[in-house]
Amino acid sequence: MEPSPSHSATPPLPSKESLIKRYKPIWRLLLIFNLALGGYMFAKSRKKNMTMEDRGDAKTGLEESKAAVKYPFAPTATIPFVEEPLIPIVATKPVKVQEPIPEDQQRELFKWILEEKRKIKPKNPEEKKRIDEEKAILKQFIRAKSIPKL
């Protein structure tokens, strides 16, 4: 038995339509949305520029004449409005003054730091020299009768 042409194993052919034609409504929607967004942004910036130009002490002729009667020495020239950047006001907390650490605790701390410095393995002679200098300073603080206040 031969297979009938309707039961053939060939996959269906992809449509000859291009992707642009297939997704035409989506393309149109994207284009309209982008144009609307651009128009909105353009109008908003233009409105902002116009309101900045309109600010100031510009008056109409009638208002200007009334102002001249009330204030005969008032300048008639308008002062351009310069918008200053807003600086946020940050509430600062008062600084807590810590109690000084007692000398015996400072000595214990210096001893601990000295032990940690002794555990460090230097990688080069400069680092070894620096660590030795730091250890010498720590030993001086530990042996001193009084520790300087910072």
Side-chain angles (χ1 to χ4, degrees), residues 18-146:
S18 68
L19 288 177
I20 294 176
K21 286 183 180 178
R22 186 181 304 166
Y23 296 111
K24 200 174 216 177
I26 295 173
W27 287 109
R28 284 182 181 166
L29 183 66
L30 283 172
L31 181 64
I32 291 169
F33 176 76
N34 282 334
L35 287 173
L37 182 64
Y40 170 76
M41 291 173 66
F42 178 73
K44 188 176 179 182
S45 67
R46 185 171 178 181
K47 182 180 175 184
K48 186 176 181 181
N49 288 341
M50 290 178 82
T51 57
M52 288 180 71
E53 290 173 2
D54 291 342
R55 289 184 187 166
D57 294 335
K59 298 177 183 173
T60 61
L62 181 62
E63 290 174 353
E64 210 169 34
S65 64
K66 286 181 181 178
V69 171
K70 285 184 180 177
Y71 308 105
F73 300 108
T76 56
T78 60
I79 300 170
F81 179 76
V82 178
E83 188 173 334
E84 296 180 14
L86 296 176
I87 300 171
I89 299 173
V90 179
T92 57
K93 296 180 182 177
V95 178
K96 277 189 171 179
V97 178
Q98 299 286 333
E99 292 183 20
I101 300 172
E103 280 191 27
D104 59 333
Q105 286 184 355
Q106 285 184 13
R107 286 185 204 282
E108 291 298 318
L109 182 64
F110 289 144
K111 287 179 184 177
W112 177 79
I113 294 172
L114 182 62
E115 290 300 318
E116 293 298 316
K117 294 282 182 187
R118 287 179 179 155
K119 292 178 185 177
I120 296 175
K121 303 291 181 192
K123 295 175 183 162
N124 53 36
E126 294 88 21
E127 188 177 354
K128 181 175 180 6
K129 184 178 178 183
R130 182 182 54 82
I131 292 172
D132 288 341
E133 289 173 358
E134 291 173 358
K135 288 195 292 189
I137 294 171
L138 287 169
K139 288 177 186 176
Q140 286 177 357
F141 280 139
I142 292 169
R143 292 180 191 143
K145 291 182 180 178
S146 67

